[in-house]
Amino acid sequence: MVQEVNEVVALHDPDHMTLEFLSHADGREAVAKAANLIFVENLKQHKLGGELDLQILLEPQLNEALQIVGSKGPEPDLLLVYGPVRSHLGFPAWRLRYTEIM
Amino acid sequence: MLSLTLPIPLLKTLTPPSPNINNPSLSPYSHYQPRSRSLTRGLIVPKHSSATAPPSATLRDDGTSLAGDSPEPLPEELVAELMPKHVAVIIDGHGRWAKLRGLPASAGHQAGVQPLRTVVRLCCSWGIQVLTVFVLSTENWFRPKVEVDSLMKLFETTINSSIACMKKEGIQIYVIGDSSKLPESLRSTIANAEKSTKHNSRLQLIVAMNYGGKYDVVQACKSVAKKVKDGLLHLDNINEKIIEKELETKCTEFPYPDLLIRAGGELRLSNFLLWQLAYTEFYFNKTPWPDFGKEEFVDALRSFQQRQRHYGGERHS
């Protein structure tokens, strides 16, 4: 039996293993969705002038938006690549800054 | 994204196995089968007490060694048709190289200029069209101030001394990254180099300076936001292709590297070209950058040519 959990539970339950299933939608597509979400929210707040504040687009805001669109997870310590290639094959790059790749 | 938790408690008593040094197949580098190398080249070197690099690392700062008059013939083991169009390089290991020789870190950085000139020359000779080099990360500012300052000076003198040669050899230089933190004199040097070489087309040399992959995505999103604000773009049209067009690598016709080489022994991307490297082939090499030369570059290219490339399903030999 497996139980679906949210990210908070997954990160704060050291006694259990968490399996995360990712797809291409969690990669570049998710970043585009997150950016879009920020734009839409910001435009809602500035309905009158339709002004877009460029300062709201910073790394923490993008992280938050990725969480809302369901694509924000922990940065892995290790990425194992199987097969004849040596590439991360579109794994969500936002989370691969300091991941060891083997 | 779906996260599931398994009701199986993890055993807290497990310890990772110690690395098996007798079994080379367990090494993350074994994938690449590098040629055997003489230990003397990297390790058994007399210590120097002075702050200058040893004679073996002396550089020709006149820039004449950048591409050379006679092209380097393609080694027999490489196939011209299978050559990558865009090669990205993370240069690393300068500090360890210098420490082994009893030298300051700045000597390691200084000794890293010649290998870069060698790789540029080989790219020019072998038809590689774009070379992107990661020289300074957004995280590197946390290093000691004296090291950062000497790096800035080195960038400036190296670019200045190479402009004439780049013009002559048909090399176009383009610097990506957040230039706002760079010293004014370096920014001026960069602008001059870019302007002087903008019509060159033999090789595009992209230098990532104060660059970070996350920074790049954020600045691309800001650029898209500005277009929305200016009425040039409608919100409904925003997708990954739109963001892609605003990444700093938009300066090249081939924004996605075919091959990433990391020198210095680390096995990570270190926040370099995160978006652009999705289907790039990685080649990790233990050689510190100051010792990186033609042999190592050929090894990387040969390894690349032997692989099958995948683009999320399709297979390309």
Side-chain angles (χ1 to χ4, degrees):
Chain A
M1 286 290 290
V2 290
Q3 174 193 355
E4 191 171 338
V5 292
N6 63 28
E7 191 197 347
V8 177
V9 174
L11 288 176
H12 295 93
D13 189 357
D15 294 336
H16 288 71
M17 179 187 284
T18 300
L19 290 181
E20 190 182 343
F21 295 87
L22 299 171
S23 75
H24 277 277
D26 294 301
R28 295 168 174 176
E29 195 182 310
V31 173
K33 273 186 197 164
N36 215 331
L37 180 74
I38 294 171
F39 300 156
V40 170
E41 287 301 310
N42 195 247
L43 281 173
K44 268 186 203 166
Q45 288 166 22
H46 298 85
K47 264 182 195 166
L48 295 172
E51 280 291 297
L52 195 58
D53 175 15
L54 299 186
Q55 286 312 302
I56 50 95
L57 249 166
L58 298 169
E59 198 179 305
Q61 283 81 355
L62 211 44
N63 278 330
E64 202 179 312
L66 278 166
Q67 185 144 8
I68 294 166
V69 299
S71 294
K72 166 86 168 61
E75 292 195 8
D77 300 300
L78 176 64
L79 176 70
L80 298 175
V81 183
Y82 291 93
V85 289
R86 208 56 166 184
S87 162
H88 69 65
L89 295 174
F91 186 98
W94 195 253
R95 295 162 59 179
L96 285 181
R97 272 192 303 183
Y98 300 109
T99 299
E100 296 282 316
I101 301 169
M102 288 188 185
Chain B
M1 182 177 82
L2 175 66
S3 286
L4 300 174
T5 181
L6 300 180
I8 306 163
L10 295 177
L11 293 177
K12 290 192 172 78
T13 53
L14 287 178
T15 53
S18 55
N20 186 346
I21 54 170
N22 299 319
N23 185 353
S25 68
L26 296 179
S27 160
Y29 304 96
S30 62
H31 196 77
Y32 310 117
Q33 301 158 346
R35 296 175 191 168
S36 59
R37 303 182 48 76
S38 159
L39 274 177
T40 53
R41 182 171 176 192
L43 297 173
I44 309 166
V45 176
K47 290 206 170 199
H48 291 256
S49 54
S50 71
T52 55
S56 61
T58 304
L59 305 172
R60 290 163 65 186
D61 268 331
D62 57 359
T64 54
S65 57
L66 248 183
D69 291 323
S70 53
E72 184 86 28
L74 188 69
E76 280 179 23
E77 64 259 54
L78 296 180
V79 181
E81 292 75 31
L82 297 178
M83 208 51 87
K85 283 188 171 70
H86 184 167
V87 174
V89 182
I90 298 176
I91 62 176
D92 193 18
H94 307 83
R96 275 159 288 166
W97 182 92
K99 199 174 178 182
L100 271 170
R101 290 155 176 78
L103 296 166
S106 58
H109 294 300
Q110 176 81 5
V113 176
Q114 193 55 50
L116 180 55
R117 288 189 168 143
T118 299
V119 170
V120 167
R121 178 172 56 83
L122 296 174
C123 286
C124 283
S125 297
W126 298 343
I128 291 164
Q129 293 173 51
V130 186
L131 174 67
T132 300
V133 189
F134 196 22
V135 298
L136 182 74
S137 158
T138 47
E139 283 85 8
N140 288 153
W141 296 95
F142 299 111
R143 292 185 179 195
K145 188 179 185 301
V146 65
E147 188 182 336
V148 174
D149 288 348
S150 80
L151 257 179
M152 295 299 151
K153 278 199 182 76
L154 181 64
F155 293 152
E156 199 173 323
T157 55
T158 305
I159 293 170
N160 262 327
S161 68
S162 304
I163 292 175
C165 181
M166 287 192 290
K167 282 170 80 171
K168 178 176 163 238
E169 297 296 340
I171 299 163
Q172 181 194 58
I173 188 169
Y174 197 90
V175 178
I176 62 172
D178 182 4
S179 61
S180 64
K181 277 190 181 175
L182 303 177
E184 180 55 48
S185 58
L186 177 55
R187 290 210 300 265
S188 168
T189 297
I190 289 167
N192 179 34
E194 288 181 339
K195 188 181 172 190
S196 304
T197 64
K198 69 177 178 185
H199 298 301
N200 293 348
S201 57
R202 185 180 179 192
L203 172 73
Q204 192 168 25
L205 174 61
I206 301 173
V207 180
M209 198 181 288
N210 193 27
Y211 175 89
K214 283 197 173 184
Y215 149 82
D216 198 0
V217 173
V218 168
Q219 73 77 30
C221 290
K222 280 186 176 180
S223 187
V224 170
K226 191 174 186 315
K227 286 188 174 176
V228 171
K229 188 177 179 178
D230 296 343
L232 300 171
L233 198 59
H234 196 268
L235 272 177
D236 297 341
N237 299 332
I238 296 170
N239 55 32
E240 58 183 280
K241 290 275 181 278
I242 296 290
I243 292 175
E244 246 157 50
K245 284 178 187 165
E246 301 302 328
L247 293 167
E248 297 234 318
T249 42
K250 64 177 182 263
C251 63
T252 176
E253 191 189 338
F254 306 106
Y256 302 108
D258 302 295
L259 170 65
L260 169 75
I261 300 168
R262 177 159 191 161
E266 299 291 355
L267 297 164
R268 50 181 176 262
L269 304 180
S270 294
N271 199 15
F272 181 46
L273 297 176
L274 292 178
W275 183 291
Q276 295 90 331
L277 292 174
Y279 299 102
T280 298
E281 292 286 334
F282 302 148
Y283 180 87
F284 299 108
N285 186 294
K286 285 181 178 175
T287 309
W289 181 253
D291 282 337
F292 196 94
K294 180 183 172 181
E295 187 184 324
E296 287 74 21
F297 193 52
V298 169
D299 280 342
L301 293 172
R302 191 179 62 232
S303 169
F304 170 80
Q305 293 193 350
Q306 287 169 350
R307 300 184 201 176
Q308 292 178 315
R309 297 199 68 197
H310 290 242
Y311 300 90
E314 296 173 64
R315 180 174 290 187
H316 301 253
S317 284

